[in-house]
Amino acid sequence: KWWEVLIAIVFGIIVWNIPTMILRFQRFLRFKDMENEVHQHLVLISILREFDRMSVYTILTWMDRFSVVFKEPIQEAMHIYDAGPEDALLKLGERVSFEPFQQIIERLKLAVVRISIKESFDDIDMEREFYLEQRQESNSRSISEKGTWANMLGMAPIYALTFLYLVGPLIYLSVVESNS
């Protein structure tokens, strides 16, 4: 029958797209992990910049200790750091394409070449507050979106009952009566 073919086609399209949907969801989770890790690095750097004899290598060491997502690129940069700090940070920047992490790397490059660590990370507190506000806004948006979905799903049984017990039989009776 034609509707069985239609159901098979729709089911095939849905099953065909499941791997893509899983990859998109994993990408979304990975992006959130990267944002959280950058925020952790900003907190760590805001603490470490207050010490007197802090170096870029020490900051990289601490970042390596607390890193999960960016652990391998940071370790590679630490291994080649003795060959040249600018080259190590440049390769770290090439390896990681996440924009907020790139900003941290650029500030570390400034701390190696021109100015002190404390001066290069002066506005880090404002940046952390911005990330917190941005995270609160996205959380509130997510909560409102989930609330909308919850309201729709909460009303689904009422809609189903209305359709199955009122509209469905009414349509069936009208078709039977029109045939007779």
Side-chain angles (χ1 to χ4, degrees):
K1 295 184 180 181
W2 68 270
W3 55 272
E4 290 176 346
V5 173
L6 182 66
I7 290 173
I9 289 173
V10 169
F11 184 72
I13 289 172
I14 291 172
V15 170
W16 180 272
N17 286 321
I18 285 177
T20 307
M21 290 186 288
I22 290 173
L23 287 175
R24 285 183 182 159
F25 182 68
Q26 287 177 344
R27 180 179 172 209
F28 172 76
L29 291 178
R30 187 71 164 184
F31 182 77
K32 288 295 180 186
D33 288 343
M34 289 164 61
E35 280 182 346
N36 287 337
E37 192 162 313
V38 166
H39 181 68
Q40 289 174 355
H41 289 318
L42 289 175
V43 171
L44 181 68
I45 291 171
S46 70
I47 293 169
L48 292 176
R49 72 184 172 121
E50 298 299 326
F51 292 105
D52 289 336
R53 298 181 188 263
M54 189 56 54
S55 67
V56 173
Y57 185 77
T58 309
I59 289 177
L60 284 176
T61 305
W62 278 91
M63 286 172 63
D64 177 46
R65 289 181 187 170
F66 290 103
S67 187
V68 175
V69 177
F70 303 116
K71 191 166 193 75
E72 289 180 23
I74 292 174
Q75 285 178 346
E76 287 180 14
M78 288 173 55
H79 288 302
I80 60 172
Y81 190 82
D82 290 335
E86 295 91 8
D87 294 335
L89 292 174
L90 184 66
K91 289 193 179 179
L92 179 61
E94 290 172 358
R95 183 91 193 275
V96 179
S97 63
F98 189 58
E99 183 63 35
F101 193 75
Q102 288 282 338
Q103 292 173 357
I104 292 175
I105 294 169
E106 290 300 323
R107 290 179 180 190
L108 288 174
K109 285 179 188 175
L110 285 174
V112 166
V113 177
R114 297 186 187 134
I115 56 179
S116 69
I117 292 174
K118 195 169 191 172
E119 292 172 351
S120 65
F121 289 102
D122 265 345
D123 59 344
I124 199 168
D125 294 327
M126 290 189 319
E127 193 169 333
R128 258 190 30 224
E129 289 176 16
F130 172 73
Y131 282 132
L132 286 175
E133 289 173 7
Q134 190 176 17
R135 185 182 296 170
Q136 286 176 346
E137 181 181 328
S138 68
N139 285 344
S140 66
R141 231 180 304 131
S142 172
I143 287 172
S144 67
E145 186 176 311
K146 288 176 183 176
T148 305
W149 277 100
N151 286 335
M152 287 178 16
L153 290 176
M155 295 300 285
I158 294 172
Y159 296 144
L161 283 174
T162 304
F163 184 77
L164 291 175
Y165 285 112
L166 295 175
V167 177
L170 185 64
I171 291 173
Y172 175 73
L173 286 174
S174 65
V175 169
V176 169
E177 290 295 322
S178 68
N179 286 338
S180 63

